[in-house]
Amino acid sequence: MILAHDGVTPIRLVCLDLAGTTVGDVAMVERAFAEAIATQGIVPGTGAYARAMVHVHRSRGCSTIDVFRGIFPDNEAQAQAANLTFERSYEGALDRAGLVPLPGVVEALDKLRGADVKVCLVTGFSRAMLGRVLAALNWADKIDLALCPEDAGRGRPMPDLVLTAVMRLGIEDVRQVAVVGDSESDMLSGRRAGASLVAGILTGVHSRERLLKGGATHILDSVADLPELLLVDTLVEPPVAAAAH
């Protein structure tokens, strides 16, 4: 049986972040952001570059185009150009190195699906980039749905991705949802959507403190620990026999 942290509401859907939560590509993503920013004249070693990368770190989990709009707030064309460079850089890294699931993630997905829990991957990538990531992972039999901001209207930290998953997968109550991710924006999105369980994962970009600030109800070392949190053994241990006198 799958239970939320309140011990009453059954969890029927887990919304899992992608980068840094289920796959170990944090460094790849950081390099792609750095390269994209540099192509727009903000080069390493400058104060502007340092400020831009701080913004990137704080904004992780958000839609990538929104991250660049935050760096270039008065120039949509520049934000779009940077985002295009980001996608090309990340795609090149995918071609060279592929994607490796973090330890225990595949097993965790199998346990969740085996317990009749639906799994939705959520990301800040574009639909085209999400398609490339899914092709690299080959997880068609591991998940029920994958969503990006283009599918929902707004990216994280807004609740749209989680609520879209609820609607598309036929979940009756948002309290039947667990949201899991490695960024503050993941936590905010889950809390705003009304999920019963919002778990921060320490394999990615943000610290325990940042995850708790975002509203995490639980902090886990990795997704591998998720089934242990959610799976509740309903078997009752037999009573211990009284000692003979």
Side-chain angles (χ1 to χ4, degrees):
M1 179 170 59
I2 302 285
L3 295 178
H5 69 285
D6 61 9
V8 177
T9 308
I11 293 294
R12 302 299 184 205
L13 167 64
V14 173
C15 290
L16 277 169
D17 174 54
L18 194 54
T21 300
T22 54
V23 293
D25 62 345
V26 171
M28 290 167 57
V29 173
E30 291 282 343
R31 282 195 298 271
F33 272 117
E35 290 177 14
I37 292 166
T39 64
Q40 301 305 308
I42 302 179
V43 296
T46 64
Y49 177 84
R51 289 191 295 272
M53 291 308 292
V54 167
H55 175 78
V56 166
H57 182 76
R58 288 176 176 169
S59 304
R60 287 296 298 274
C62 300
S63 167
T64 56
I65 183 59
D66 285 343
V67 175
F68 289 116
R69 284 171 176 152
I71 298 172
F72 307 107
D74 301 316
N75 194 325
E76 177 67 15
Q78 199 171 17
Q80 292 287 349
N83 193 56
L84 181 60
T85 302
F86 168 86
E87 295 202 345
R88 287 174 176 168
S89 176
Y90 187 79
E91 184 177 6
L94 280 183
D95 292 340
R96 291 189 301 272
L99 276 181
V100 179
L102 288 164
V105 167
V106 172
E107 293 82 359
L109 294 178
D110 287 339
K111 288 178 181 177
L112 293 173
R113 296 291 301 287
D116 200 28
V117 176
K118 295 185 184 299
V119 174
C120 175
L121 292 181
V122 293
T123 182
F125 291 152
S126 69
R127 167 50 62 183
M129 181 55 64
L130 175 56
R132 296 184 187 103
V133 169
L134 294 175
L137 289 172
N138 193 26
W139 276 359
D141 62 335
K142 306 291 183 188
I143 65 172
D144 298 279
L145 184 64
L147 295 174
C148 66
E150 293 167 52
D151 301 314
R154 296 177 298 179
R156 296 166 296 192
M158 299 299 115
D160 302 33
L161 285 164
V162 176
L163 297 177
T164 298
V166 166
M167 291 186 289
R168 289 200 185 182
L169 293 174
I171 304 302
E172 296 178 355
D173 190 330
V174 291
R175 291 174 297 177
Q176 296 175 322
V177 179
V179 174
V180 183
D182 68 307
S183 71
E184 183 180 4
S185 64
D186 291 312
M187 306 298 97
L188 288 167
S189 177
R191 293 305 293 262
R192 289 170 176 176
S196 286
L197 190 147
V198 181
I201 304 295
L202 298 176
T203 53
V205 292
H206 286 164
S207 65
R208 176 187 298 268
E209 290 71 27
R210 285 290 300 276
L211 296 169
L212 289 171
K213 179 183 175 184
T217 60
H218 294 73
I219 300 293
L220 302 177
D221 288 334
S222 76
V223 171
D225 299 324
L226 188 60
E228 184 178 354
L229 174 65
L230 295 181
L231 287 167
V232 179
D233 189 353
T234 58
L235 294 177
V236 178
E237 291 293 329
V240 178
H245 294 289

